[in-house]
Amino acid sequence: MNQRLKLPISQVTGIGEKLQAHLNELGLFDVEDLLFYFPHRYDSYEVKPLTELEHQEKATIEGQLTADPTVQFYGKKKSRLTMMLQVGQFSVKAVMFNRPFAKKQLKAGDTVTVTGKWDQHRLQITVSQYKKGEAKSQEPIQPVYTLKESVTLVTLRKVIKAALEEYITDVEEILPEHMTVSYKLPGRQQALHQMHYPESRVLLKHAKRRFIYEEFLIFQLKMQLLRKLQRESTTGNAQNYDNDQLTNFVQTLPFELTGAQKRSLAEILKDMKNPYRMNRLLQGDVGSGKTAVAAIALYASITTGKQAALMVPTEILAEQHAASLKELFGDLLSIVLLTGSVKGKKRKEMLEQIKNNQVDLIIGTHALIQDEVDFNNLGFVIVDEQHRFGVNQRRTLRDKGLNPDVLFMTATPIPRTLAITAFGDMDVSVIDEMPAGRKPVDTYWVKGQITDKVLSFIQKEINLGHQAYVICPLIEESDELDIQNAIDLYHQLAQVYKPKVHVGLMHGRLSNEEKEEVMQKYAANEIQILVSTTVVEVGVNVPNATVMLIHDAERFGLSQLHQLRGRVGRGQHQSYCILLADPKNDVGKERMRIMTETTDGFELSEQDLKLRGPGDFFGRKQSGMPEFKVGDMVHDYRALETARQDAADIISNNALETDDRYKSLKEIIEQDEHILGKVLD
Ligand code: ADP
Ligand code: MG
């Protein structure tokens, strides 16, 4: 690697001590950082005819001043400068705020180029940038960088331009030639220049294509190498479970496993037997029987005499899992539930038992298990929902001398291929088949608010002995108001349905004891209607519930709606989901339509992907999802897939070690801290 790129940015012309400090705040320390600080968008100053402009578009217009500009002052420092421009046959008014000094620079008859927001109806432009002279003299596409207050865009453009001029010849190609040739990717120097100062949209596209591929390839190489190293470096983690015991246990289950369950289980058991550490994702729609598979795997692990742990995101879920697993395993295993509500002496005892190997299975939330528990002999960990078990968490366990097999479960249906690619260091099992006899949930979309018809529908289901969930109106970003809504709705419904039907209330501010009490009453059908905020979203299992009513359904994403809907349809009765929604736009309406048309989580996730577009698919930065600088996992999915395949070939041929064409890539990959850490292990 060229060491000149590692020089501090102060070596670049124009960067003094003060600016250096500010740039450091942006995470820019060496020349390479600066060169690879890519714009997040570009301003285009292409002049288009007025007739082609769209209302509110950011546009650039060139025209001739028909009079001297005029300035009006108002307030203390505020001003408004008005220019009348002749643009072809049109007369356009250009207004610019708080830059009165421009009046001195511009006279009637001058040609000016202004950029700003175009008002089609009034033939007016609100100017953000102006320049005396013709548009041609400006560079057509200008980079816009993410900034902090201390550095201006003009400054950043200047120093990046200087860095490009002074150092671009030090940038070395890292992709082997046969790759750039076969994928028609521009060279690294050329692409880098185009990323900052594209000569055209087309050249920019190719430059991006190059860096996207480069980024994905490096990511995939790292992940796959890490996986390989992990496998090779682990010894003695083979779990030789007792096959007879396991078969007996499976036979006691009240159902026959589905084909998909059997397949996933076989994949998991194979990982266990192998000496390498399992790092597997088990994916399946809500109700597809993941927990059943997990339980069998847990049992297998425990027959080896080791301990197992089940980590879940919330205490409610921990309690539910504990209850259902205790029922499933009976006396076969000793299970403890370790939550925040276990306190004092009892807690001490529990931790003591875990330490002394008197306990087989420990169920708790993620935090609890990681921080304070001193396992005796942990062989297997299952992580349920949402959180990916990161390298750091694994390190925490390793620091404790533990090296368990890890299985993640998620009900977020990510298209299979995308999952395999996104989690390059993981193996993926998919349960893509529902247990037989499940009746798909009938879904209805009701416009607007709750109606008498809806109320009597719920009553009818309750008369049949069934139960209902009512999910409350959602106030964005306000837990407080959400809870107030839940309380109000609870009172209203209690009034409507009294005295025969009992209504319960669930929200995040209840204490754990209160939550548990409510859930137990609901599970025992002492409560028929459960009014709740979205806390019931994940995992809760009450098979007797047949109605899911969701207020403000348009405010939820498809996958969240699908999760909520998954709370019903878990038993043998026909179930219903009622979406109360008044979507204001087409996407919202489309979502409701999709919900009423399909109950297949994978199909839904594909549709969601199309509707939401790239970038947004995984919602608010879901933990564990890799982040990329240029590439987007969804939008650039094909490049990701190509990179994954190429990386697989390189790794399996051991080409990083043996083939000189990959020398630069090898250098980069070996600098990764995880891989370094791994190799040093
Ligand atoms: P998930 O964890 O994927 O949401 P669960 O494992 O909780 O699904 O299964 C949902 C319900 O289906 C449970 O009540 C479970 O007992 C039942 N179940 C699981 N597998 C089967 C199967 N193969 N046949 C019939 N019922 C099943
Ligand atoms: Mg193993």
Side-chain angles (χ1 to χ4, degrees):
M1 184 164 303
N2 191 315
Q3 289 309 314
R4 269 171 52 86
L5 297 183
K6 295 290 168 203
L7 291 171
I9 49 176
S10 53
Q11 296 297 308
V12 175
T13 306
I15 301 183
E17 227 168 87
K18 206 165 141 202
L19 182 55
Q20 181 180 17
H22 290 319
L23 291 170
N24 287 168
E25 281 169 39
L26 280 169
L28 306 174
F29 296 93
D30 59 28
V31 172
E32 189 172 34
D33 293 337
L34 204 54
L35 290 175
F36 287 85
Y37 194 66
F38 292 143
H40 67 269
R41 67 176 177 84
Y42 300 84
D43 269 345
S44 163
Y45 297 113
E46 279 170 283
V47 180
K48 288 196 246 173
L50 292 188
T51 47
E52 283 176 24
L53 295 181
E54 300 202 20
H55 185 53
Q56 303 289 24
E57 177 184 352
K58 186 168 184 192
T60 298
I61 293 174
E62 180 192 304
Q64 207 167 27
L65 280 171
T66 52
D68 288 348
T70 56
V71 178
Q72 275 175 292
F73 286 91
Y74 52 95
K76 263 195 181 148
K77 285 185 179 158
K78 295 187 173 153
S79 71
R80 175 190 156 106
L81 180 143
T82 307
M83 295 178 263
M84 294 310 297
L85 295 175
Q86 193 65 36
V87 184
Q89 55 184 338
F90 299 102
S91 176
V92 170
K93 187 170 172 181
V95 296
M96 185 159 76
F97 293 97
N98 307 328
R99 272 172 286 179
F101 46 83
K103 181 173 161 59
K104 292 206 192 87
Q105 302 160 357
L106 304 169
K107 296 267 168 305
D110 285 348
T111 298
V112 283
T113 303
V114 292
T115 298
K117 202 176 202 184
W118 175 243
D119 185 327
Q120 178 72 35
H121 310 308
R122 308 204 308 220
L123 292 188
Q124 184 169 319
I125 187 164
T126 308
V127 178
S128 56
Q129 288 183 50
Y130 73 99
K131 186 184 155 76
K132 192 167 160 177
E134 290 173 13
K136 266 196 233 95
S137 56
Q138 300 197 359
E139 298 192 46
I141 304 177
Q142 292 274 358
V144 181
Y145 302 98
T146 307
L147 299 167
K148 282 213 171 125
E149 269 166 45
S150 46
V151 186
T152 66
L153 183 57
V154 174
T155 306
L156 200 55
R157 279 180 182 164
K158 210 168 80 194
V159 297
I160 288 179
K161 204 165 191 176
L164 280 170
E165 276 161 17
E166 291 160 22
Y167 292 91
I168 199 156
T169 52
D170 296 303
V171 173
E172 289 168 2
E173 183 56 78
I174 57 171
L175 295 177
E177 199 181 334
H178 69 276
M179 282 181 153
T180 51
V181 169
S182 75
Y183 296 135
K184 298 194 172 62
L185 299 173
R188 207 154 184 251
Q189 287 183 13
Q190 189 197 345
L192 190 59
H193 192 87
Q194 296 296 331
M195 284 300 282
H196 293 285
Y197 288 96
E199 285 163 65
S200 72
R201 291 273 163 196
V202 176
L203 289 175
L204 174 60
K205 203 175 99 187
H206 289 303
K208 274 194 181 154
R209 213 162 52 78
R210 187 224 139 84
F211 285 113
I212 289 168
Y213 178 76
E214 176 182 314
E215 182 170 44
F216 285 161
L217 182 67
I218 290 172
F219 169 75
Q220 286 293 336
L221 283 171
K222 281 182 186 172
M223 297 294 254
Q224 295 188 33
L225 182 61
L226 198 58
R227 191 168 94 183
K228 185 177 167 212
L229 291 172
Q230 269 174 358
R231 291 192 166 182
E232 287 171 354
S233 73
T234 325
T235 47
N237 194 34
Q239 302 212 43
N240 289 311
Y241 56 86
D242 185 323
N243 215 10
D244 293 342
Q245 249 180 302
L246 189 66
T247 313
N248 286 341
F249 173 65
V250 173
Q251 275 164 2
T252 65
L253 294 176
F255 45 74
E256 166 98 20
L257 295 179
T258 63
Q261 280 175 314
K262 284 183 187 155
R263 196 183 57 231
S264 300
L265 183 63
E267 287 165 357
I268 293 166
L269 292 175
K270 189 171 162 223
D271 278 359
M272 280 187 173
K273 273 222 165 122
N274 280 328
Y276 53 78
R277 271 178 319 214
M278 176 192 325
N279 192 28
R280 183 172 285 278
L281 178 72
L282 176 62
Q283 246 206 94
D285 215 341
V286 274
S288 62
K290 291 183 298 297
T291 312
V293 170
I296 299 169
L298 277 173
Y299 185 71
S301 167
I302 289 167
T303 64
T304 67
K306 290 191 178 170
Q307 290 178 318
L310 172 61
M311 301 195 201
V312 298
T314 67
E315 299 214 341
I316 295 189
L317 268 179
E319 276 150 18
Q320 285 223 343
H321 274 303
S324 61
L325 291 176
K326 275 178 184 164
E327 192 182 312
L328 184 71
F329 288 121
D331 297 334
L332 282 175
L333 306 179
S334 73
I335 301 177
V336 291
L337 171 65
L338 186 63
T339 64
S341 20
V342 182
K343 293 199 177 89
K345 201 170 150 227
K346 210 170 152 212
R347 184 178 197 85
K348 239 179 125 182
E349 265 173 36
M350 208 178 261
L351 290 172
E352 214 38 48
Q353 286 176 333
I354 295 171
K355 199 172 158 188
N356 298 332
N357 206 11
Q358 291 162 295
V359 168
D360 298 318
L361 173 59
I362 300 102
I363 301 174
T365 58
H366 300 153
L368 274 171
I369 289 185
Q370 280 156 36
D371 298 343
E372 53 171 331
V373 182
D374 200 355
F375 295 97
N376 179 293
N377 186 8
L378 187 68
F380 190 40
V381 176
I382 296 184
V383 183
D384 188 20
E385 292 294 348
Q386 289 170 345
H387 293 271
R388 188 173 166 221
F389 197 68
V391 176
N392 291 338
Q393 287 154 299
R394 199 190 273 286
R395 202 166 274 170
T396 312
L397 287 179
R398 204 164 59 206
D399 289 347
K400 291 182 175 184
L402 301 164
N403 218 353
D405 280 338
V406 181
L407 178 70
F408 305 89
M409 296 201 289
T410 177
T412 308
I414 308 166
R416 181 193 169 94
T417 40
L418 182 57
I420 293 172
T421 323
F423 302 99
D425 63 337
M426 279 191 170
D427 299 296
V428 180
S429 295
V430 183
I431 305 183
D432 51 4
E433 178 186 353
M434 284 289 177
R438 282 286 160 74
K439 298 186 184 76
V441 178
D442 274 348
T443 304
Y444 301 98
W445 168 21
V446 176
K447 280 220 175 85
Q449 292 305 305
I450 198 163
T451 59
D452 287 344
K453 212 170 136 193
V454 171
L455 290 174
S456 54
F457 182 82
I458 292 174
Q459 181 69 62
K460 223 171 69 199
E461 279 297 306
I462 291 170
N463 292 346
L464 290 169
H466 305 157
Q467 292 163 274
Y469 292 96
V470 175
I471 303 299
C472 286
L474 195 66
I475 310 282
E476 241 166 289
E477 324 224 332
S478 168
D479 281 352
E480 211 55 64
L481 289 175
D482 283 347
I483 288 164
Q484 194 50 51
N485 265 330
I487 295 169
D488 291 348
L489 192 62
Y490 161 74
H491 286 302
Q492 280 168 26
L493 291 179
Q495 192 65 27
V496 170
Y497 287 110
K498 78 178 181 187
K500 274 196 174 158
V501 174
H502 299 284
V503 182
L505 174 64
M506 171 72 91
H507 58 68
R509 289 293 155 78
L510 297 180
S511 72
N512 292 324
E513 289 81 14
E514 288 168 318
K515 279 184 202 158
E516 192 180 359
E517 195 187 324
V518 175
M519 279 323 293
Q520 268 167 9
K521 281 189 174 166
Y522 191 58
N525 199 4
E526 286 164 35
I527 288 171
Q528 286 77 45
I529 299 177
L530 184 63
V531 175
S532 177
T533 56
T534 54
V535 292
V536 296
E537 188 186 337
V538 273
V540 172
N541 188 18
V542 178
N544 193 48
T546 56
V547 182
M548 168 59 69
L549 173 69
I550 306 171
H551 278 86
D552 289 349
E554 76 272 16
R555 301 210 181 162
F556 296 96
L558 273 179
S559 54
Q560 206 180 2
L561 289 173
H562 183 64
Q563 287 290 325
L564 285 167
R565 181 167 61 184
R567 298 308 104 218
V568 298
R570 302 174 77 84
Q572 74 270 36
H573 315 296
Q574 176 61 52
S575 294
Y576 308 90
C577 174
I578 303 168
L579 306 166
L580 294 178
D582 198 2
K584 295 281 178 284
N585 56 36
D586 290 344
V587 173
K589 287 176 191 152
E590 188 63 11
R591 272 200 202 132
M592 295 308 118
R593 195 189 58 73
I594 293 168
M595 279 297 291
T596 58
E597 282 179 8
T598 181
T599 53
D600 177 336
F602 286 94
E603 154 101 35
L604 231 126
S605 77
E606 303 269 6
Q607 299 265 15
D608 202 15
L609 202 140
K610 279 187 209 144
L611 277 187
R612 283 208 260 181
D616 211 17
F617 180 65
F618 294 107
R620 278 161 275 145
K621 292 211 171 118
Q622 207 175 25
S623 64
M625 279 296 175
E627 277 179 44
F628 296 103
K629 226 163 116 180
V630 216
D632 177 299
M633 274 196 305
V634 176
H635 186 256
D636 307 315
Y637 169 66
R638 277 210 264 158
L640 185 54
E641 183 52 32
T642 308
R644 184 181 75 86
Q645 196 52 55
D646 291 345
D649 292 343
I650 293 171
I651 298 287
S652 70
N653 296 332
N654 205 18
L656 283 183
E657 298 301 327
T658 58
D659 190 335
D660 245 15
R661 296 179 299 177
Y662 300 106
K663 212 174 92 207
S664 308
L665 283 172
K666 176 176 143 91
E667 260 177 47
I668 291 170
I669 285 146
E670 286 184 345
Q671 281 166 14
D672 183 88
E673 56 164 317
H674 297 315
I675 287 175
L676 272 179
K678 194 56 235 163
V679 175
L680 293 178
D681 255 9

